[in-house]
């Protein structure tokens, strides 16, 4: 068969390069047709002269004649520093969901099913979100990822929350590649020197090419100084650039993406030749792989509540996927792991002990359960901005308080509230700032908040109404402050967070504000407010009305 393989090698490779432009069934038929033609040619050829047995044949490993290999992709995303498990009350009592120890222990358990044929990937936003993780700028979570033995990690937008130097420290700590093919140096136009565009990993007899993509909109939702000098390019152009290079080196093409589910769908539709997209950013629980243009799209929710497990049957000769897990690819992370990873347990125990005094500090209670919301007015948002409005900067209170929805990240259950719980609600260490803004400028800020995504806004000291049926730029129907219609010419004192004041969420109008004053962090101000008003009972009051 060696002379047959040599003779028809180009034809086989040509069939491989054609993959991604037809359905799986059609591509598999093409492979069968090629194989049939090869067998036909052998049958009609001379039979009295057998092919010589060479050292190459003798050295072929066992099972080399198998045409396919079964591999497993284990994947996580958007862990957000969720070190401690969440306690869930059910009919059978209390159970655990998530948690760093449970997550890494379950990864180890799942990996034992196919120890030499498993890829472990993470799609970013790994650290930011809890006091225990933020206290070391993600060092604890990265140490656990090293123990788990990840094969690759794509950068998420929140990896930049502490700036580029702390991120470089986490990349240096990682014992696996940090991938972001679409982050470039603005000055040179070259790939940012802290990352790799892709990596090639051998898994069983399959070579997997893994290309990483960061979120292109990162500059719009980050502090400008944290991404200064970096150019986040669009995904499609980058994948088209690297795809031929990857296909020369690997059979299976994987994009490790922090684009969000909709971005992954768009990429799969636009670019042929991607076998799998392992996604993140949108916190989507993809229960069954989505097949778009012969690309399988998966994502595993957020905060370590589940692990994605995608099993693939891959052709050894062509690298094409001939079968895959069709449904139920998310494995719940609970406290019922067979073997606890003691190394990670030790790290977590030490970190929790160090943070215990701060995290467990009681600050009051809430009379109602409170949850974040991506758009519109919500009670937890009102609690945050009411606390900001009550806070005095330079000895005076502001007229208006504003905080973006996207910065309010976690729920507060009814009952006692600890500082650690509140920190999970406001994990970004944003500093309060007061600015002078005219009514006209405030209207522009509100207009942007209802016309863009992200960019929704919570307010105190004012109300506003908007109509999405009106033209963009004219959607604010009415706004009032202090019980009176907003005066476009009047100057108002506005308290916000430094993230917005520096233009975050695309809110560049804040940059026009005058007489800035700086205060404590938002989480500290809200903690003081809860202490003073406990038990708090925030409600939706009609501050924001959509017509």
């Amino acid at each position: 068969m060696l002379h047959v393989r040599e003779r028809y090698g180009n034809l086989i490779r040509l069939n491989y390069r054609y993959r991604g432009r037809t359905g799986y069934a059609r591509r598999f038929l093409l492979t069968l047709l090629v194989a049939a033609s090869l067998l036909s040619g052998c049958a009609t050829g001379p039979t009295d002269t057998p092919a010589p047995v060479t050292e190459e044949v003798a050295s072929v490993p066992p099972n080399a004649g198998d045409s396919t290999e079964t591999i497993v992709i284990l994947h996580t995303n958007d862990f957000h520093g969720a070190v401690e498990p969440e306690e869930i009350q059910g009919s059978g009592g209390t159970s655990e969901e998530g948690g760093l120890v449970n997550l890494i222990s379950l990864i180890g358990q799942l990996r034992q099913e196919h120890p030499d044929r498993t890829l472990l990937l993470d799609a970013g936003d790994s650290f930011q979100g809890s006091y225990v993780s933020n206290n070391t700028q993600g060092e604890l979570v990265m140490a656990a990822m090293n123990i788990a033995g990840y094969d690759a990690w794509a950068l998420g937008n929140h990896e930049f929350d502490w700036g580029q130097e702390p991120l470089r420290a986490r990349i240096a700590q990682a014992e696996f590649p940090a991938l972001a093919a679409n982050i470039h140096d603005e000055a040179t136009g070259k790939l940012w020197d802290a990352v790799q565009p892709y990596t090639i990993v051998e898994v069983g007899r399959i070579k997997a090419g893994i290309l990483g993509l960061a979120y292109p909109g990162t500059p719009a939702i980050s502090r400008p100084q944290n991404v200064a000098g970096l150019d986040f390019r669009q995904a499609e152009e980058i994948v088209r650039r690297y795809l031929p290079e990857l296909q020369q080196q690997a059979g299976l093409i994987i994009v490790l993406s922090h684009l969000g589910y909709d971005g992954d769908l768009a990429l799969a539709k636009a670019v042929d030749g991607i076998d799998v997209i392992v996604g993140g950013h949108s916190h989507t629980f993809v229960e069954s792989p989505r097949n778009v243009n012969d690309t399988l799209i998966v994502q595993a929710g957020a905060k370590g509540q589940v692990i994605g497990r995608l099993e693939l049957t891959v052709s050894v000769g062509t690298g094409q996927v001939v079968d895959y897990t069709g449904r139920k690819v998310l494995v719940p992370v609970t406290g019922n792991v067979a073997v606890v990873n003691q190394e990670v347990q030790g790290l977590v125990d030490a970190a929790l002990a160090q943070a215990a005094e701060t995290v467990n500090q009681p600050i009051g209670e809430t009379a109602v359960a409170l949850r974040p919301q991506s758009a519109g007015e919500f009670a937890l948002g009102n609690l945050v901005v009411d606390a900001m409005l009550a806070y005095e900067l330079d000895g005076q209170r502001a007229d208006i308080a504003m905080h973006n929805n996207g910065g309010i990240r976690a729920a507060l259950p009814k009952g006692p509230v600890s500082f650690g719980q509140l920190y999970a609600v406001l994990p970004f260490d944003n500093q309060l700032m007061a600015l002078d803004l005219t009514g006209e400028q405030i209207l522009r800020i509100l207009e942007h908040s209802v016309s863009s995504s992200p960019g929704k806004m919570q307010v105190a000291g004012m109300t506003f109404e908007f109509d999405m049926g009106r033209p963009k730029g004219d959607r604010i129907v009415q706004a009032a402050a202090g019980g009176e219609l907003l005066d476009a010419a009047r100057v108002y004192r506005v308290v916000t967070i430094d993230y917005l004041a520096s233009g975050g969420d695309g809110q560049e109008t804040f940059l026009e504000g005058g007489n800035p004053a700086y205060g404590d962090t938002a989480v500290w101000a809200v903690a003081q407010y809860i202490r003073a008003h406990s038990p708090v009972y925030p409600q939706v009051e009609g501050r924001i009305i959509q017509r």
Side-chain angles (χ1 to χ4, degrees), residues 279-442:
H281 184 62
S282 56
H283 300 192
T284 308
F285 289 80
V286 181
E287 298 282 351
S288 301
R290 180 78 179 270
N291 189 336
V292 177
N293 190 26
D294 293 341
T295 297
L296 302 177
I297 301 172
V298 293
Q299 191 176 150
K303 297 189 175 181
Q305 296 172 335
V306 295
I307 296 170
R309 184 189 182 279
L310 178 64
E311 188 168 307
L312 305 174
T313 302
V314 183
S315 169
V316 175
T318 66
Q320 69 185 38
V321 176
V322 297
D323 198 8
Y324 60 91
T325 312
R327 55 194 297 270
K328 294 185 178 179
V329 292
L330 300 182
V331 182
V333 177
T334 70
N336 299 322
V337 291
V339 179
V340 173
N341 189 306
Q342 294 300 325
E343 190 175 1
V344 176
Q345 182 74 70
L347 290 175
V348 169
D349 287 347
L352 290 176
Q354 184 178 10
E357 183 177 352
T358 300
V359 169
N360 297 330
Q361 181 182 358
I363 59 173
E365 63 179 297
T366 172
V368 291
L370 301 170
R371 300 193 66 83
Q373 191 170 298
S374 61
E377 180 187 359
F378 58 101
L380 180 56
N382 284 348
L383 173 64
V384 171
V385 287
D386 284 349
M388 293 168 61
L389 194 64
Y391 181 86
E392 293 186 1
L393 283 89
D394 288 349
Q396 62 176 326
R397 294 183 179 181
D399 302 305
I400 294 168
M402 292 181 161
H403 195 295
N404 62 322
N405 293 42
I408 302 172
R409 305 292 289 192
L412 287 177
K414 178 181 177 180
V417 178
S418 69
F419 181 78
Q421 288 175 301
L422 184 61
Y423 193 92
V425 175
L426 299 166
F428 302 121
D429 293 323
N430 287 311
Q431 188 176 8
L432 294 185
M433 282 188 66
L435 300 164
D436 288 343
L437 291 165
T438 66
E440 185 272 334
Q441 290 168 331
I442 293 170

Side-chain angles (χ1 to χ4, degrees), residues 1 4 7-9 11-12 15 29-45:
M1 288 294 293
V4 174
R7 179 179 178 184
Y8 291 95
L11 182 56
I12 294 171
N15 179 47
L29 283 174
L30 285 171
T31 305
L32 290 177
L33 288 172
V34 172
S37 68
L38 296 182
L39 291 174
S40 174
C42 289
T44 58

Side-chain angles (χ1 to χ4, degrees), residues 13 17 39 45 53-54 65 89 105 109 149 152 180 195 217 265 271 312 442 493 497 507 510 527-528 533 535:
R13 284 190 291 273
R17 288 175 181 170
L39 291 174
V53 178
T54 67
Q89 297 291 337
S105 299
Q109 180 178 317
V195 297
L265 293 175
V271 180
L312 305 174
I442 293 170
R493 194 67 172 165
I497 52 176
Q507 289 283 10
F510 277 109
Q528 297 308 307
H533 297 84

